[in-house]
């Protein structure tokens, strides 16, 4: 039998359904151009596949360091940022370690903390505010000794961000800060300066449109990277994904174009949802919008699915809320049209 804490946990889950319009996982609607894919694969075909990847992942770490103004020793890469979150939590959270995070937030954090026998300290987020509750997070951190705080900004699934100066304020308490900026590009954020007690997690899965390649990275001081590396699995990133991510970094214009289009669509979709009677969107700086309506979350989810539109039911985390990813213009239009029709049919006549 598994350990008690594991037996009491639920697995990370997802509604396994298929639909023509897939707006349930905050993926990018924009794939890498076919010509670029072909070019990268042609290079990868020439490399030996029977040989392990470079132990240090130097090519990708150097490319990231150059792109973001770091040294390679400030960067670790992994099989998605999920892997690096697990490694960092493994490095910083032990039995009884107090770990402060907003609730709701990305559900993986609490699971990893639970596996590590840490002590989760959830702090309620008001999704309507558009910001994370910095004062309450600070208060919770200050009540503990040697706390770890995990911040997701913009926050999944609510979309709000940490107020300006939030990272510095949290660091000033003496806490270790794990800062997940998976959606940071969509908030036009800047990476904070390095600090021994700060780890910043980024991903190629969102703004870069490379979720299928599973590449994430973290940044911290060389000393902190060395500690996390003791926990991380060796060779977790394969040569194909590594080459794809390194090449993508030479095409920042692709990321910028994705971000620009997504932000423009987010603004349009927010206004359009807001204009539908009976629906309330929550402010978001990410590539998704959470919203509630006068119809309960589950029947509305099913009604949209009947239109072949798959979004995410987040009502277990945010009362009565659904979350829709920002897709292509056409996908967003299909979603908005369906939502409008469903709400009109619901209207009392
Ligand atoms: N952090 C957050 C907040 C996320 O929402 C996600 C994706 N759902 C991840 C990290 C995971 O990213 P990756 O694909 O890099 O593992």
């Amino acid at each position: 039998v598994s350990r008690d804490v594991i037996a009491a946990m639920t697995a990370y889950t997802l509604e396994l359904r298929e639909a023509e319009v897939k707006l349930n996982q905050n993926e990018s609607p924009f794939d890498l151009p076919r010509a670029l894919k072909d070019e990268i694969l042609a290079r990868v075909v020439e490399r030996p596949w029977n040989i392990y990847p470079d132990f240090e992942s130097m090519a990708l770490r150097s490319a990231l360091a150059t792109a973001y103004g770091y040294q390679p020793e400030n960067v670790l890469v992994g099989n998605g940022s999920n892997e690096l979150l697990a490694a960092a939590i493994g490095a910083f959270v032990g039995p009884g370690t107090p770990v402060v995070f907003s609730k709701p937030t990305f559900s993986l954090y609490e699971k990893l903390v639970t596996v590590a026998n840490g002590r989760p300290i959830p702090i309620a987020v008001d999704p309507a505010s558009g910001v994370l509750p910095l004062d309450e997070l600070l208060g919770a951190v200050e009540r503990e000794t040697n706390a770890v705080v995990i911040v997701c900004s913009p926050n999944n699934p609510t979309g709000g961000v940490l107020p300006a100066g939030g990272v510095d304020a949290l660091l000033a308490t003496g806490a270790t800060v794990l800062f997940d900026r998976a959606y940071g590009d969509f908030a036009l954020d800047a990476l904070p300066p390095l600090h021994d007690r700060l780890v910043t997690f980024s991903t190629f899965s969102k703004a870069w449109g490379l979720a299928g390649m599973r590449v994430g990275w973290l940044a911290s001081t060389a000393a902190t990277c060395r500690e996390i590396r003791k926990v991380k699995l060796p060779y977790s990133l394969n040569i194909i994904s590594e080459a794809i991510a390194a090449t993508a970094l030479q095409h920042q214009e692709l990321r910028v174009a994705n971000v620009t289009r997504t932000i423009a669509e987010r603004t349009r979709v927010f206004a359009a949802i807001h204009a539908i009677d009976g629906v309330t969107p929550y402010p978001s700086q990410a590539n998704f919008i959470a919203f509630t309506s006068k119809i309960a979350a589950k029947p509305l989810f099913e009604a949209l699915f009947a239109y072949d539109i798959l979004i995410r039911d987040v009502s277990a985390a945010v009362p009565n809320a659904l979350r829709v990813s920002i897709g292509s213009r056409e996908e967003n239009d299909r979603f908005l049209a369906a939502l409008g029709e469903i709400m009109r049919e619901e209207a009392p006549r």
Side-chain angles (χ1 to χ4, degrees):
V1 293
S2 62
R3 294 155 53 210
D4 290 352
V5 289
I6 307 301
M9 265 173 77
T10 55
Y12 186 87
T13 51
L14 182 71
E15 184 97 46
L16 293 173
R17 296 198 196 185
E18 283 178 27
E20 210 167 79
V21 179
K22 181 179 185 313
L23 299 173
N24 65 331
Q25 280 186 281
N26 304 338
E27 291 148 321
S28 169
F30 312 114
D31 197 357
L32 222 56
R34 176 62 198 244
L36 191 55
K37 286 184 174 177
D38 287 340
E39 179 203 313
I40 301 166
L41 286 181
R43 263 190 289 128
V44 172
V45 160
E46 294 308 316
R47 292 189 44 185
W49 289 13
N50 55 324
I51 303 298
Y52 279 105
D54 164 27
F55 186 64
E56 300 283 357
S57 294
M58 211 24 131
L60 180 55
R61 287 171 56 225
S62 301
L64 283 163
T66 304
Y68 291 92
Y70 298 128
Q71 299 299 317
E73 59 266 32
N74 300 128
V75 176
L76 291 180
V77 295
N79 195 262
S81 56
N82 285 352
E83 188 207 4
L84 298 169
L85 284 162
I89 288 171
F92 291 111
V93 179
T97 305
V99 184
V100 175
F101 52 87
S102 319
K103 189 138 189 170
T105 190
F106 187 34
S107 61
L108 188 68
Y109 310 145
E110 186 164 0
K111 293 186 190 305
L112 293 170
V113 169
T114 302
V115 171
N117 277 347
R119 184 159 54 88
I121 305 177
I123 302 297
V125 178
D126 170 12
S129 71
V131 288
L132 291 172
L134 178 59
D135 290 340
E136 287 81 357
L137 291 169
L138 286 168
V141 167
E142 276 158 358
R143 277 191 295 277
E144 305 290 338
T145 23
N146 299 325
V148 172
V149 52
I150 308 178
V151 182
C152 182
S153 176
N155 187 47
N156 180 12
T158 57
V161 292
L162 195 66
V167 170
D168 287 340
L170 289 165
L171 284 172
T173 64
T176 296
V177 181
L178 306 182
F179 186 82
D180 185 352
R181 57 173 294 276
Y183 302 100
D185 290 285
F186 304 111
L188 305 177
D189 69 346
L191 273 88
L194 299 179
H195 187 293
D196 275 333
R197 284 184 284 104
L198 172 64
V199 186
T200 307
F201 302 86
S202 303
T203 180
F204 283 85
S205 299
K206 310 296 175 185
W208 283 104
L210 289 170
M213 292 305 135
R214 311 301 305 126
V215 187
W217 60 282
L218 67 75
S220 191
T221 59
T224 296
C225 286
R226 272 196 300 277
E227 292 307 297
I228 297 171
R229 194 168 152 221
K230 294 177 186 171
V231 183
K232 196 187 98 62
L233 296 176
Y235 304 119
S236 54
L237 195 47
N238 68 78
I239 59 169
I240 302 175
S241 296
E242 209 174 313
I244 292 168
T247 306
L249 286 171
Q250 295 166 5
H251 294 275
Q252 290 284 345
E253 74 283 358
L254 296 175
R255 182 186 60 83
V256 172
N258 290 352
V259 168
T260 306
R261 284 188 279 186
T262 298
I263 291 175
E265 279 296 279
R266 180 181 72 205
T267 306
R268 186 179 77 88
V269 171
F270 184 91
I273 295 177
H274 193 71
I276 298 172
D277 237 8
V279 191
T280 309
Y282 291 123
S284 172
Q285 301 241 46
N287 66 339
F288 54 80
I289 295 174
F291 62 94
T292 57
S293 86
K294 62 184 184 197
I295 306 178
K298 187 69 186 162
L300 179 53
F301 172 89
E302 294 296 349
L304 286 162
F305 189 68
Y307 281 82
D308 223 353
I309 297 166
L310 182 61
I311 67 170
R312 189 81 164 245
D313 180 351
V314 294
S315 58
V318 186
N320 206 34
L322 297 171
R323 187 195 71 193
V324 64
S325 307
I326 303 299
S328 66
R329 192 176 173 94
E330 297 68 37
E331 290 172 319
N332 300 335
D333 280 342
R334 291 250 327 244
F335 162 74
L336 290 168
L339 183 61
E341 271 181 48
I342 293 163
M343 298 310 294
R344 271 195 301 279
E345 280 161 17
E346 236 358 73
R349 272 168 276 248

